Amino acid sequence: MRAIRVHELGGPDVMRLETVADPSPGPGDVLVRIEAIGLNFIEVYFRTGLYKTALPFTPGSEGAGTVVAVGAGVNDVAVGDRVASQNFTGSYAELALAKADRLVRIPDGLNAKDGAAAMLQGMTAHYLATSVHPLKRGDRCLVHAAAGGVGLLLCQIAKRLGATVIGTTSTEEKAELARHAGADEVILYSQVDFVEEVRRITGGAKVDVVYDSVGLATFLKSLDCLKPRGMLALFGQSSGPVAPLDPGVLNQKGSLFLTRPTLAHYVATHEDLVWRAGEILGWVRDRSLKLRIDREVPLAGVAEAHRALEGRRTTGKVLLIP
Ligand code: NDP
């Protein structure tokens, strides 16, 4: 099969399209012919070495397609099933393995592109809005990078739960997309001080929760946007990792809560996975949650796709098509 391989850490060009042996399913594994691959920022971290993995490797964890073989002990997934997962071992490929309990069926009416676009960023938006800080009517939230992959979905889900949504984006074009996704207000955070703007918009009350995927550039100021006992959910680091923090700062700024969550812990059981994926895919199917596909790129174009994601030139989801 053809797959993207990384033999050394570095920039986008270290990702090379190669021919490698087809994987074969061991006990509990399912082999899927991948029809659409979801690109995610975490693959930048593995490629550059910020997150560690052994070399060489095939990047990617999200994808969707059709089951072509199952390993011993797999009874509830069969050849021909249409499935999606955020837990493939190397999804930048024509074939990929996942554990059977890490797969969900793609509902009728949706295709592999929907599945690959919705799983990882959709379930991330879901756990942030329903579990990290369960939003309720009247809550105010701040969503950084509101026109990004997670951002556009999180704006929609926060609105659906009745919250007032303040988004941040770097450009007016992105702001317009965030407004379409339900943001009540959008702050151009590279042009104005977003703390001052949050104060102004909320009449000084500030917000209940900040969903911060930007990290280094926003983290400390995000704390200043919170009302006493508010929650900062730092779930990413698109601008770089955050420095260590003295917990006393949380006291001084209003008995704040800080969490650094990751999706894996919020879909740790098969039941949680089926619940979150079921809601997200169900909302996509009934069109109450809109996926925005920024671009579809062949595997050979993966380097340019990474450059666009890192260069803030994407909005919504980037798909690779094997
Ligand atoms: P996005 O589509 O949000 O892309 C990143 C966005 O971040 C950019 O478009 C840009 O928006 C903004 N940004 C701000 N500063 C920078 C910078 N210096 N360089 C690049 N981008 C910048 O990506 P995703 O939705 O895929 O992921 C967002 C973040 O969330 C990532 O850090 C990712 O790792 C994390 N994540 C975490 C998960 C978890 O469970 N913890 C799960 C999924 C994602 P703008 O131009 O508007 O500023």
Side-chain angles (χ1 to χ4, degrees), residues 95-222:
L95 294 165
L97 292 169
K99 290 292 174 197
D101 66 356
R102 298 284 87 197
L103 292 169
V104 297
R105 282 201 176 71
I106 302 173
D108 290 345
L110 296 186
N111 59 34
K113 289 178 185 173
D114 298 320
M119 290 293 285
L120 198 151
Q121 293 170 340
M123 290 196 293
T124 298
H126 189 279
Y127 85 73
L128 290 169
T130 64
S131 300
V132 168
H133 175 95
L135 287 169
K136 56 186 186 313
R137 194 157 297 283
D139 277 357
R140 292 193 184 97
C141 66
L142 178 64
V143 177
H144 285 308
V150 176
L152 286 174
L153 298 168
L154 185 51
C155 287
Q156 294 177 69
I157 295 173
K159 277 315 282 184
R160 161 181 209 113
L161 295 171
T164 298
V165 180
I166 305 173
T168 62
T169 65
S170 62
T171 67
E172 182 49 43
E173 292 74 22
K174 288 187 177 185
E176 197 49 35
L177 293 173
R179 284 186 204 103
H180 274 297
D184 298 277
E185 303 269 356
V186 183
I187 302 168
L188 297 182
Y189 60 173
S190 38
Q191 297 176 24
V192 296
D193 179 355
F194 70 81
V195 181
E196 283 308 312
E197 279 298 286
V198 166
R199 277 211 191 91
R200 184 188 64 74
I201 291 165
T202 61
K206 304 201 270 189
V207 299
D208 300 273
V209 55
V210 179
Y211 298 112
D212 189 340
S213 66
V214 172
L216 181 64
T218 47
F219 175 72
L220 286 175
K221 287 184 155 198
S222 292

Side-chain angles (χ1 to χ4, degrees), residues 39-43 45 51 120-121 123-125 127-128 144-152 168-171 174-175 189-190 212-215 217-218 234-240 260-264 266 308-318:
L39 197 85
N40 289 287
F41 220 99
I42 194 167
E43 287 118 44
Y45 306 143
Y51 289 180
L120 198 151
Q121 293 170 340
M123 290 196 293
T124 298
Y127 85 73
L128 290 169
H144 285 308
V150 176
L152 286 174
T168 62
T169 65
S170 62
T171 67
K174 288 187 177 185
Y189 60 173
S190 38
D212 189 340
S213 66
V214 172
T218 47
L234 173 70
F235 70 98
Q237 55 218 348
S238 306
S239 68
R260 177 58 178 89
T262 195
L263 174 61
Y266 286 85
L309 183 64
E310 287 179 272
R312 304 167 83 159
R313 286 185 277 117
T314 65
T315 53
K317 188 71 187 177
V318 178

